[in-house]
Amino acid sequence: MRSEYSNIRSRYHPVTGWPAPILASLDEVAPGFLVAMSRSKAVYRQAIFAGLAAGIADRPTEFLEKATGEEITASSWHGMAADLALTLLNMTPQEILAASYRTVGDGLLGALERIGYQSLTAADAYPRLNALLAGQGNGRRVRALQQGGRIQDRLLDVVERLEPALLHPNVVRRIRTVTHADQINETLRLVQQVNSSATPEAIWKSSSDLGDGTDLTDWLRRFLLKGDCFPAPPFELNDAELVPLRSGQELEDAGHRYSNCLSTKVLQVLSGRTYFYEFTVLPGAIVSFHRLSCGTWLMTKAYGRRNGTVSREITDQIRAKVQALGGKCLTLIPVQPRYMIADRFFDGHDFGFWSDIAEDMDILALDDVA
């Protein structure tokens, strides 16, 4: 008996979400309609969901005239709703779609089959899906939808929003949310602003080679590091001893040589708030500059390998060069020994001096850029 009950129960798929109250109202005037819906095939119920989303329950006369090819004399809503429910039960999914939409997009029926038994979360997703499939010039979006697996609201949202160059299935399946899609769109625009080789064709070709273990952030970061359109350095000079790092690749190379995190500072440089130079006199140093709100560039610090301390002699040479170019240097006034002793005494108790203003400036978030 339990096995028989299980077999019967497995044939029913309850209707939930936004279609439920509409279908319940139709069942009220045409008893048995909701039971028939719960036993129907997925594609049939999806066609009805698509029709409901297009407004057939609000305008039953219009739907019935298109479905039957006959002029319908309007009666009460209850009478029209009953006719609508009975007519739907005797139509094929293709016929329901044809009577619900002025133009049915190519492949809409196949797309509906890939949704499953439950409706899409948003009612307007169905008209949007049809518009996408019926629209001109949507080839890449349609292919991304077709190759994206089961159709859900997230997939449709992402395919609608992504820039065409990002519509390869390798990219689409990695996008988690609409916010994530907006972020990658904006990042792509930045990449194309600073990397002249990041054409839509190059992005598309590269995305087709994305391996399963490659993250989208790492993928676009490589394009960013290869940027060749970085901001001009604060000081234009022909000096072999103080050399501006003019590209992401130069920042990354210097980061490797000095064993530091320069490659993570690309966005800081691109934003116009920071610039880095290499002082080539051995043992060498990386020199950081920060742009103040008044437009003045301030040399904040010189870093040795592994962000080590640079000798006083080298630091003085760097400052002399910067000041000769009209730049400013961050130099704090000296303090008496007793304060330094007290500073060491209070170390670890958040009571000492501000340990390193240069490093604090370096770690400021980009949100702080005015």
Side-chain angles (χ1 to χ4, degrees):
M1 182 178 294
R2 177 172 295 182
S3 176
E4 184 180 355
Y5 169 68
S6 298
N7 290 335
I8 294 174
R9 188 178 62 179
S10 66
R11 295 200 295 266
Y12 290 86
H13 299 275
V15 177
T16 59
W18 62 267
I22 305 174
L23 295 175
S25 66
L26 293 177
D27 186 76
E28 187 175 334
V29 297
F33 176 73
L34 198 52
V35 173
M37 272 288 297
S38 65
R39 294 184 59 178
S40 64
K41 293 182 178 180
V43 66
Y44 175 79
R45 67 195 289 164
Q46 288 297 338
I48 291 182
F49 293 157
L52 295 178
I56 64 173
D58 298 321
R59 302 184 300 277
T61 304
E62 180 182 329
F63 175 83
L64 290 170
E65 287 183 342
K66 196 170 181 182
T68 63
E70 300 176 0
E71 185 176 348
I72 303 295
T73 302
S75 60
S76 67
W77 183 86
H78 285 78
M80 298 302 298
D83 289 342
L84 172 64
L86 295 174
T87 301
L88 286 170
L89 290 176
N90 290 284
M91 297 176 73
T92 66
Q94 295 94 325
E95 291 170 340
I96 295 172
L97 296 175
S100 301
Y101 291 91
R102 182 173 300 175
T103 302
V104 178
D106 292 338
L108 178 59
L109 194 64
L112 293 178
E113 285 188 283
R114 289 170 44 219
I115 297 175
Y117 280 96
Q118 294 306 319
S119 68
L120 294 173
T121 304
D124 72 340
Y126 288 93
R128 285 163 43 212
L129 175 61
N130 183 57
L132 178 65
L133 295 170
Q136 298 294 321
N138 286 339
R140 278 192 178 179
R141 299 191 191 280
V142 170
R143 286 192 292 275
L145 195 69
Q146 291 171 337
Q147 299 173 36
R150 181 186 169 197
I151 292 181
Q152 299 173 305
D153 294 74
R154 179 204 63 82
L155 177 61
L156 179 60
D157 291 340
V158 167
V159 167
E160 285 179 322
R161 297 178 85 96
L162 279 181
E163 292 287 335
L166 295 171
L167 284 168
H168 194 281
N170 285 345
V171 176
V172 173
R173 71 167 180 263
R174 287 170 162 87
I175 304 294
R176 300 181 297 275
T177 63
V178 170
T179 299
H180 192 200
D182 290 340
Q183 289 174 341
I184 193 173
N185 278 339
E186 200 60 40
T187 302
L188 175 63
R189 296 183 190 110
L190 175 61
V191 165
Q192 292 178 321
Q193 175 185 322
V194 302
N195 186 338
S196 60
S197 66
T199 62
E201 294 75 19
I203 294 293
W204 177 265
K205 184 178 184 305
S206 177
S207 66
S208 66
D209 297 329
L210 274 176
D212 291 338
T214 304
D215 186 80
L216 291 180
T217 53
D218 294 333
W219 174 56
L220 285 183
R221 182 173 173 273
R222 290 200 297 265
F223 277 98
L224 205 60
L225 288 173
K226 294 177 182 177
D228 53 1
C229 304
F230 270 49
F235 312 108
E236 288 289 356
L237 66 163
N238 185 19
D239 191 325
E241 294 183 351
L242 192 59
V243 181
L245 302 177
R246 299 172 178 268
S247 68
Q249 191 63 58
E250 291 184 5
L251 286 169
E252 186 174 45
D253 291 344
H256 286 312
R257 287 186 285 107
Y258 283 84
S259 301
N260 61 29
C261 59
L262 266 181
S263 63
T264 68
K265 304 295 184 181
V266 172
L267 288 180
Q268 300 257 7
V269 175
L270 290 175
S271 71
R273 70 175 305 165
T274 309
Y275 220 94
F276 296 93
Y277 284 69
E278 180 181 1
F279 187 66
T280 60
V281 175
L282 293 177
I286 297 298
V287 186
S288 65
F289 291 82
H290 288 79
R291 191 178 187 183
L292 305 182
S293 59
C294 62
T296 299
W297 283 94
L298 179 70
M299 174 195 153
T300 47
K301 193 171 181 181
Y303 299 87
R305 282 170 173 74
R306 295 184 175 83
N307 293 327
T309 302
V310 176
S311 70
R312 181 63 179 269
E313 179 184 357
I314 295 294
T315 301
D316 287 344
Q317 291 182 45
I318 296 171
R319 285 176 174 166
K321 282 183 175 291
V322 171
Q323 290 169 341
L325 294 167
K328 304 294 184 181
C329 300
L330 177 62
T331 306
L332 302 180
I333 63 171
V335 297
Q336 295 180 8
R338 72 181 65 170
Y339 295 104
M340 302 308 296
I341 294 171
D343 183 47
R344 286 192 289 272
F345 173 75
F346 287 117
D347 183 43
H349 296 276
D350 295 325
F351 197 67
F353 285 107
W354 192 356
S355 59
D356 197 330
I357 189 172
E359 290 181 2
D360 284 312
M361 293 182 74
D362 279 341
I363 64 173
L364 284 174
L366 282 174
D367 291 342
D368 298 321
V369 181

